[in-house]
Amino acid sequence: MLRSFTIRTAKRDEMIEITSFVEETVRQSNVEEGVAIVYCPHTTAGITINENADPDVKRDMMRRFDETYPWEHPLDRHMEGNTAAHMKASTVGASQHVIIHEGRLLLGRWQGVYFCEYDGPRQRTLYVKVIAG
């Protein structure tokens, strides 16, 4: 089963929890054992799994990414001016795999799946593929 979701981001940098989208897709698939692949087809956004209990984690992560990859750097040559967004997305990655066991995502107690925007606001697409096995 493959589903696509559209997300509208509101800020240049933000993390949006999408765990419910992935869970919904798994439920609709009726797969009891397998894997869910969450994929982002954009070069300035990504997918990560991280803590979903304390909102300070998201804020801290975004701040540290900005410190590591400042939006403006005198040596950047990319004409669109969003090299930092490309660096952040490459660091986070375009996809995550989550094991499905007994029809549910096998996430840790404090884990959630996040869509990470680094060049917003934009309308974005993400895909969830459920594979039995």
Side-chain angles (χ1 to χ4, degrees):
M1 170 180 232
L2 176 67
R3 290 201 53 208
S4 67
F5 295 92
T6 301
I7 294 180
R8 287 192 185 278
T9 62
K11 303 175 189 171
R12 184 183 77 194
D13 295 285
E14 65 182 305
M15 292 175 68
I16 300 169
E17 188 172 0
I18 58 169
T19 309
S20 62
F21 296 139
V22 183
E23 290 172 333
E24 175 186 330
T25 304
V26 170
R27 273 192 302 277
Q28 290 177 350
S29 75
N30 294 316
V31 169
E32 288 294 313
E33 301 293 329
V35 66
I37 302 168
V38 185
Y39 173 68
C40 168
H42 304 287
T43 61
T44 56
I47 304 292
T48 195
I49 295 173
N50 215 300
E51 181 175 333
N52 65 356
D54 183 349
D56 285 337
V57 172
K58 294 190 303 186
R59 284 191 285 273
D60 290 348
M61 287 180 65
M62 290 303 190
R63 178 182 47 79
R64 296 291 293 270
F65 273 136
D66 282 342
E67 290 171 1
T68 304
Y69 306 118
W71 192 255
E72 293 182 19
H73 190 285
L75 299 178
D76 287 349
R77 297 292 178 246
H78 182 49
M79 138 191 313
E80 290 180 33
N82 61 356
T83 296
H86 289 279
M87 297 296 295
K88 293 172 188 179
S90 290
T91 299
V92 168
S95 68
Q96 291 289 325
H97 296 72
V98 184
I99 295 169
I100 300 167
H101 178 62
E102 297 178 351
R104 301 186 67 192
L105 296 175
L106 196 60
L107 290 170
R109 176 183 222 167
W110 306 113
Q111 286 184 317
V113 183
Y114 288 90
F115 179 86
C116 302
E117 173 67 75
Y118 299 116
D119 196 20
R122 293 181 185 244
Q123 179 173 303
R124 300 291 199 163
T125 301
L126 68 98
Y127 294 96
V128 179
K129 175 75 173 176
V130 177
I131 302 170

